[in-house]
Amino acid sequence: MSSEGKSMAAGRTNWRNVIMVVSLAILIAVEIFGVALASGWALAGLFELGHVVAYALMALFSVFAAYGLLSFMRRVVKIERLSARG
C-alpha cells in the first residue's frame, strides 16, 4: 500500500464526535454570548450610563466571551478524537 493510501485510511473522520463538538460549540456560544450581552445591557441600565456605554460594555464582554469560547474549544478539540486512527 502506498504512503498516500495509508494517510487517507488513517485520516477517516469520526462524524459522531465532530457533530458532538459542533453542537457543543453552538450551545456554549449561545449561552456565553447571551450572558455577555445581557450583562452589558444590565450594567448600563442599572447605573444609567446610556446607550453608547451599553453597546461598549456589550462589545467588551463579547470579546471576553469570544476568547473564552476559543480557549474552551481548543481544549475540546485537543482531547476529543475527531478522526479515527487506522
Side-chain angles (χ1 to χ4, degrees), residues 16-33:
R16 188 174 192 173
N17 288 357
V18 170
I19 291 171
M20 191 260 320
V21 167
V22 169
S23 299
L24 178 71
I26 292 169
L27 175 69
I28 298 297
V30 167
E31 290 180 359
I32 199 166
F33 281 105

Side-chain angles (χ1 to χ4, degrees), residues 10-81:
R12 289 183 308 186
T13 303
N14 188 348
W15 287 108
R16 188 174 192 173
N17 288 357
V18 170
I19 291 171
M20 191 260 320
V21 167
V22 169
S23 299
L24 178 71
I26 292 169
L27 175 69
I28 298 297
V30 167
E31 290 180 359
I32 199 166
F33 281 105
V35 168
L37 296 175
S39 299
W41 172 77
L43 286 174
L46 180 65
F47 296 114
E48 298 177 5
L49 300 174
H51 294 294
V52 175
V53 176
Y55 293 136
L57 285 173
M58 287 184 215
L60 178 67
F61 293 156
S62 292
V63 168
F64 288 133
Y67 175 74
L69 180 65
L70 182 65
S71 174
F72 178 73
M73 289 311 296
R74 282 183 180 169
R75 290 180 187 170
V76 168
V77 170
K78 186 186 292 185
I79 292 171
E80 198 65 38
R81 281 196 176 180

